[in-house]
Amino acid sequence: MIQRHSILLWKKAEKIDKDFDEIARETYEILMVFQQYPEEIRPNFLSGKTKATAQKFNWIYENFRTVLRHGVNREDATVFEDLGYSVSFFSSINDHESCGFEITVGNKNESFFNTIIVNVPLALNLYTKKDADMISSLFQKLVLAYRPYWGSVSNKVLSRKYGKHLNEGLPATVQWINYWSPAIINKIGMEKIHTVLEKNRNLKYIDGILSIKETALDMTKEEDIRFQDELQKTLLK
């Protein structure tokens, strides 16, 4: 069974008075985090009609500002600037090695989230410590830069099992790596988190980031399925 993974970061609506330039500059600085990592997890190409004609994106702020402005939410000729701006990138022409990046920022409507989604390439093996450590490090730096409401390194098999990512402001699933903002921790209760940390000494919890294993959950292994289910029942029921 192929198990795909994604970094998901959800941030609540921006303040009404936040202007486009501030949004663009902040987003650019967040995306610069990827430049600290190998080519296969960098946003190297701007998504377009076909990969065959794609050219490497020149990562200077003015270029990014232009493509983000072009991605304003619209329906036909009507622009909905309060719903933000979307842009997507990918890392490689080779599908197996390519990381996908989907960014929606600048939304000011409280019914929706601003989001960063990074689809991890199949060429990376998150069941090896080397690749798992790299994605874990990237996730931590993105959380620090973006300060989301919620985030995770998600196994899509597990996500499909539970459906929604969030349910009335609470995570629907305990994933391999989870970021819970203070608002979420208040809903879950720090007592529950302490309980699982005391019982499972291999869990790591630092600054809202809960990592339940050194490497990714493998949903083909009975022990991983049981372990995740136990944490799910303790933390989110």
Side-chain angles (χ1 to χ4, degrees), residues 84-185:
Y85 309 82
S86 297
V87 64
S88 61
F89 297 90
F90 61 96
S91 66
S92 172
I93 301 296
N94 183 318
D95 286 340
H96 183 72
E97 297 175 356
S98 190
C99 190
F101 306 82
E102 301 167 32
I103 297 106
T104 298
V105 294
N107 164 60
K108 298 173 182 177
N109 186 317
E110 292 184 0
S111 299
F112 305 104
F113 283 92
N114 293 292
T115 60
I116 295 176
I117 301 171
V118 183
N119 295 309
V120 178
L122 289 172
L124 287 183
N125 183 354
L126 299 190
Y127 305 110
T128 65
K129 194 165 185 311
K130 178 186 173 184
D131 287 350
D133 283 351
M134 179 170 65
I135 293 301
S136 176
S137 165
L138 173 61
F139 181 79
Q140 290 171 37
K141 288 183 180 180
L142 289 172
V143 164
L144 190 62
Y146 192 50
R147 293 295 180 187
Y149 175 77
W150 165 86
S152 75
V153 182
S154 144
N155 180 311
K156 291 191 178 180
V157 173
L158 189 55
S159 294
R160 283 196 295 270
K161 177 180 176 181
Y162 290 98
K164 297 178 181 178
H165 294 300
L166 289 172
N167 186 10
E168 295 183 0
L170 272 174
T173 317
V174 177
Q175 293 280 357
W176 165 42
I177 305 176
N178 311 266
Y179 172 71
W180 296 335
S181 63
I184 290 176
I185 291 167

Side-chain angles (χ1 to χ4, degrees), residues 36-37 44 67 84 87 109 137 172 210 218:
Q36 303 170 32
Y37 290 86
N44 296 317
V67 299
V87 64
N109 186 317
S137 165
L210 176 69
D218 187 343

Side-chain angles (χ1 to χ4, degrees), residues 162-208:
Y162 290 98
K164 297 178 181 178
H165 294 300
L166 289 172
N167 186 10
E168 295 183 0
L170 272 174
T173 317
V174 177
Q175 293 280 357
W176 165 42
I177 305 176
N178 311 266
Y179 172 71
W180 296 335
S181 63
I184 290 176
I185 291 167
N186 286 339
K187 287 174 179 284
I188 292 172
M190 203 62 219
E191 306 82 11
K192 289 183 180 180
I193 296 171
H194 283 313
T195 298
V196 298
L197 292 174
E198 285 291 324
K199 188 175 179 181
N200 304 277
R201 294 292 183 175
N202 291 329
L203 270 64
K204 293 181 180 177
Y205 178 77
I206 301 172
D207 296 332

